Amino acid sequence: YHAAVGATTVERWASDLIFFASDKREEEVVRALCSCFLRRSVQRLFVVQQVVKGDEDELADKLVEAASALSPRTFRYIGYPKRSEGVVGKAMFERGLGFSPTSFTSVLYGGVIEKKGVAFFGVSQREPFQREMVRGEDFVSKAQYKMEELLSSLNLLQQIQPKSILDLGASPGGWSMQVAQAFPDSRVLAVDKGSLHPSVLALPNITHSATTLTPANAESVLSPHSPFDVVVCDVNMHPAEACTLLRPVLSYLRSGGVLVFTIKCFFKQVKASGSDLIDTVKRFLSPGHRPRGRGEEGEKASGDGGAAADAHESEEEGGHSFTNIEVVWLVANTIHERTVVAVKE
Ligand SMILES: C[S@@+](CC[C@H](N)C(=O)[O-])C[C@H]1O[C@@H](n2cnc3c(N)ncnc32)[C@H](O)[C@@H]1O
């Protein structure tokens, strides 16, 4: 990430604020952000002109001082953290500055880092980079950022140059769009009873099967398009349920084909129980898998009883076997998600 923005010094100023010095010009930094998956994570970019000791009041004083050198004097204020905008804005208004959210001539921006007891600020002719500015028409869902990041950071899919791809649970079509554009010679089957965004449907290599996949209809829906070189799946389900959904589907993935799916843990204790869920998925994908350093007793006591039972069931059935199983935490994954990538044996 440092390289993308040309950062020479990096300091974490707060849990959601990183300061970096860069030898690149502002436009170059913004271009670098916009052209890589970091744009998903960076909310705003402030160009720091000065750092001073003090709180919101001092920040307002400094901003008024900087603004009074400018004319005409109608401003917009953008602040960090967002909740401080009102306080600092009001303090500046009381000191005589005029504000307009639409017809401003300069943008004032600033932030207070409470823990360090310092504030930073700057004045600009235009708005600082904001994430909304790069949400182009080519993005149809937030989920799409995950596939974009995966494609840009993992070479596996490029290596196999897939010709046939299944996107299970595709609506509104972010993942389908990413893979269809990355592999224009492929055919993408997007299965979801939900609709696809018109810009996804407009792609020449996408077929929408508007249905909910079940074990009963799996053959009629999938076999005309199979075998698949890649199966991707981003359904909102407990990982054990997702495994159950995937079980019949994986027969249609060719040997050497790649599976990508999101593990979603819909509860707060992701750190405590998340690893059990990841083991559940690993056992499902690789029946011989045993969590390291844990015996049968430990597994039984793991607290995800249903999931573990399901995984054992899949072992009994023999299931499908995968190698190179990687569980990655993408920048675009939420705190409760991990992305699994695996190759079918
Ligand atoms: C989080 S959304 C997928 C977002 C998508 N990856 C994107 O980038 O736009 C999950 C979707 O899975 C679909 N889904 C859940 N179970 C399904 C099933 N059995 N068959 C097909 N689609 C299913 C839901 O209808 C929902 O639209």
Side-chain angles (χ1 to χ4, degrees), residues 256-296:
V258 176
L259 168 69
V260 176
F261 90 105
T262 315
I263 302 181
K264 302 187 183 186
C265 313
F266 297 104
F267 45 79
K268 289 207 175 105
Q269 305 90 331
V270 68
K271 283 207 179 110
S273 313
S275 59
D276 289 332
L277 292 176
I278 290 168
D279 277 328
T280 297
V281 172
K282 283 189 172 171
R283 281 198 301 271
F284 169 73
L285 295 175
S286 170
H289 174 79
R290 283 277 172 277
R292 255 181 292 157
R294 295 169 60 202
E296 279 300 306

Side-chain angles (χ1 to χ4, degrees), residues 140-157:
V140 302
S141 67
K142 248 167 73 179
Q144 190 167 348
Y145 289 110
K146 291 181 264 184
M147 187 48 76
E148 183 198 34
E149 182 180 342
L150 200 74
L151 287 167
S152 68
S153 58
L154 192 95
N155 219 8
L156 199 55
L157 296 181

Side-chain angles (χ1 to χ4, degrees), residues 17-242:
L17 185 71
I18 290 170
F19 167 83
F20 66 89
S22 171
D23 47 20
K24 291 193 179 186
R25 296 204 334 270
E26 182 184 352
E27 307 85 73
E28 286 179 82
V29 172
V30 169
R31 212 175 309 125
L33 280 177
C34 292
S35 62
C36 82
F37 57 83
L38 278 174
R39 66 184 166 190
R40 157 70 175 75
S41 314
V42 177
Q43 191 82 36
R44 285 173 177 177
L45 182 77
F46 298 101
V47 178
V48 175
Q49 286 169 358
Q50 222 178 310
V51 180
V52 290
K53 286 235 166 296
D55 57 10
E56 283 153 350
D57 236 27
E58 262 117 331
L59 173 62
D61 281 341
K62 289 287 177 190
L63 279 165
V64 170
E65 202 180 301
S68 51
L70 304 167
S71 79
R73 299 170 56 190
T74 309
F75 301 98
R76 168 155 196 224
Y77 178 64
I78 295 182
Y80 168 89
K82 187 99 182 119
R83 66 187 139 76
S84 74
E85 263 178 16
V87 181
V88 178
K90 185 165 172 268
M92 289 191 284
F93 180 72
E94 284 166 355
R95 289 160 172 79
L97 286 195
F99 289 91
S100 163
T102 47
S103 53
F104 52 88
T105 47
S106 299
V107 178
L108 304 175
Y109 55 86
V112 178
I113 300 116
E114 268 175 33
K115 267 195 181 162
K116 287 172 80 92
V118 296
F120 68 87
F121 66 89
V123 182
S124 169
Q125 290 311 109
R126 52 199 167 139
E127 300 200 25
F129 164 87
Q130 302 200 56
R131 194 170 75 195
E132 288 67 28
M133 291 160 74
V134 294
R135 281 224 179 112
E137 281 181 3
D138 58 335
F139 269 72
V140 302
S141 67
K142 248 167 73 179
Q144 190 167 348
Y145 289 110
K146 291 181 264 184
M147 187 48 76
E148 183 198 34
E149 182 180 342
L150 200 74
L151 287 167
S152 68
S153 58
L154 192 95
N155 219 8
L156 199 55
L157 296 181
Q158 279 86 347
Q159 273 168 13
I160 66 167
Q161 282 298 315
K163 291 278 176 283
S164 179
I165 300 172
L166 167 66
D167 183 1
L168 176 57
S171 170
W175 280 29
S176 292
M177 179 182 240
Q178 283 298 131
V179 289
Q181 287 177 334
F183 306 109
D185 294 335
S186 69
R187 289 235 46 99
V188 179
L189 176 67
V191 181
D192 201 313
K193 72 172 187 324
S195 58
L196 296 185
H197 190 276
S199 59
V200 180
L201 282 173
L203 293 170
N205 53 341
I206 289 201
T207 306
H208 183 201
S209 172
T211 185
T212 295
L213 201 87
T214 63
N217 68 6
E219 192 187 348
S220 62
V221 174
L222 303 180
S223 66
H225 307 269
S226 68
F228 297 103
D229 302 312
V230 171
V231 171
V232 299
C233 177
D234 185 39
V235 290
N236 292 332
M237 282 181 190
H238 186 284
E241 285 174 44

